Amino acid sequence: MKAIIPVAGAGTKLRPHTYTQPKALIPLAGKTILSIIVDQLVDAGVHEFIFIIGYLGDKIQDFVKEKYPHLNTHFIQQNERLGLGHAVLLSRNIVQEDEMIIVLGDSICEYDVKAVLASEQSLLCVKRVDDPRDFGVAEINEEGIITKVVEKPQIPKSNMALVGIYRIRESPVLFECLENNLQHNITSYGEFNLTDAIECMIGKGALIRSYKVLNWFDCGKKESLLESNATLLRKMGQTIAADHQFENTIIVPPVSIAAGCDISNSIIGPNVAIGECVNIRDSIIKDSIIGAFSDLKDIVLTHSLIGSDTEVRGETRSLNIGDNTEIDLGKR
């Protein structure tokens, strides 16, 4: 069993943060998006990973090698971002005929990973959504078999969206379909999509079942990322590193505070995740994510996403600022 994690995207909807940080390494509930995904798979018994990297790929590679030195890891550079189908096809020589699970680098879901891996048929994970037009959509019969998949249909015949987790047993068939689509320029919305290749597999007779995940945490933009952070903090529980100083400070759970933080005369929480070595003084922060090595003073923050190495001074605001930024909101 091999896990393929495509993380080559630029994450444009999360700019300015993704100018300097891959989307998969954005902090979330005391971890990163990528580490939540990898930890789920490792806990279920997966030990060989293929990462499809591109934009800021060196940071992905450094992070994985440092945090997961015990895993068997491969890194494949996707120099041209031609689509998810193209990204998966790049792993063909490593996967060969082995079974695989593909998990998109921003697809955090609550599901029984071991049950998905143990399935005797290929599985696509799905979740009911109100408006499926922005997703790959699965049409499913009464037995739970997927009869058709369509990428971003304008008139959807189903409201079951593909959440970005694909358990594939017939790897050679998938690669054959991906190669065929690439050779014949079969695209959707200008890209070689994995959805089109899976539809090709169904046409060749592959039996693919649906699997409904319990929760799907959206990490696509600031607002949904903060909402996912709050939900995961409640589910995963509060974590506060032992190495810290909290002087005259009130902590309102759930929060996640990394090591080396110095916080004084402040109120932190609820739903706040703070990176390592952050200094906070005379501030109130709730429903926010604060990047590592940031310095905040005399500020009231709510629903804010603050990058690493950031200095903020001033008054009440809702902010969305990237790494290496200095902002003074004080009156002169």
Side-chain angles (χ1 to χ4, degrees), residues 7 9 13 16 31 108 115 125 150 162 179 186 211 215 220 265 274 294 296 331:
V7 283
K13 292 181 180 179
K31 294 188 175 185
I108 298 178
C125 291
V150 184
L162 303 177
E179 182 67 33
I186 299 174
Y211 181 94
N215 286 297
N265 303 316
I274 299 175
S294 294
L296 283 64
K331 296 180 180 178

Side-chain angles (χ1 to χ4, degrees), residues 2-243:
K2 292 180 171 63
I4 301 175
I5 316 290
V7 283
T12 55
K13 292 181 180 179
L14 275 173
R15 287 176 177 168
H17 304 277
T18 48
Y19 281 126
T20 56
Q21 187 85 302
K23 179 179 178 180
L25 297 187
I26 295 291
L28 189 66
K31 294 188 175 185
T32 66
I33 295 173
L34 183 60
S35 63
I36 292 174
I37 294 169
V38 173
D39 288 348
Q40 282 183 317
L41 294 169
V42 170
D43 290 344
V46 179
H47 298 290
E48 186 167 3
F49 287 78
I50 303 168
F51 297 91
I52 313 299
I53 59 175
Y55 179 73
L56 299 176
D58 56 331
K59 291 192 173 184
I60 295 284
Q61 189 164 342
D62 291 346
F63 174 84
V64 171
K65 288 185 174 180
E66 179 180 350
K67 186 170 178 61
Y68 301 101
H70 58 289
L71 295 181
N72 183 6
T73 55
H74 312 268
F75 299 90
I76 300 175
Q77 184 78 24
Q78 185 184 21
N79 294 317
E80 296 181 275
R81 293 201 298 273
L82 301 178
L84 178 58
H86 173 256
V88 173
L89 182 58
L90 295 175
S91 69
R92 187 177 197 171
N93 290 338
I94 298 175
V95 175
Q96 297 183 16
E97 297 186 359
D98 291 344
E99 297 180 13
M100 60 182 168
I101 182 168
I102 304 165
V103 183
L104 305 192
D106 59 357
S107 288
I108 298 178
C109 294
E110 185 179 2
Y111 67 110
D112 188 338
V113 186
K114 289 184 178 180
V116 169
L117 295 177
S119 173
E120 295 182 358
Q121 293 89 31
S122 292
L123 291 179
L124 303 187
C125 291
V126 298
K127 184 78 167 67
R128 189 184 305 276
V129 297
D130 294 331
D131 186 355
R133 290 176 296 177
D134 289 335
F135 306 98
V137 172
E139 297 178 21
I140 305 168
N141 68 17
E142 295 179 354
E143 287 75 39
I145 304 297
I146 295 177
T147 59
K148 186 177 181 64
V149 290
V150 184
E151 183 68 22
K152 299 178 182 177
Q154 292 306 298
I155 306 177
K157 295 182 179 180
S158 165
N159 59 358
M160 301 303 294
L162 303 177
V163 302
I165 301 173
Y166 312 81
R167 160 74 165 97
I168 304 295
R169 293 180 63 90
E170 305 89 344
S171 298
V173 180
L174 175 60
F175 288 128
E176 179 183 330
C177 287
L178 288 168
E179 182 67 33
N180 176 74
N181 289 355
L182 191 65
Q183 288 181 355
H184 294 88
N185 199 34
I186 299 174
T187 63
S188 296
Y189 299 95
E191 293 187 340
F192 295 99
N193 275 294
L194 183 57
T195 307
D196 296 328
I198 291 172
E199 176 64 15
C200 169
M201 290 180 66
I202 295 172
K204 289 178 177 291
L207 178 64
I208 303 179
R209 290 192 172 275
S210 60
Y211 181 94
K212 296 178 182 179
V213 300
L214 298 175
N215 286 297
W216 181 17
F217 302 102
D218 188 354
C219 304
K221 53 184 184 291
K222 173 199 166 188
E223 292 77 13
S224 58
L225 183 70
L226 291 173
E227 183 178 342
S228 295
N229 180 65
T231 303
L232 287 168
L233 280 172
R234 291 192 293 269
K235 286 183 173 292
M236 297 167 62
Q238 177 165 291
T239 58
I240 300 178
D243 180 17

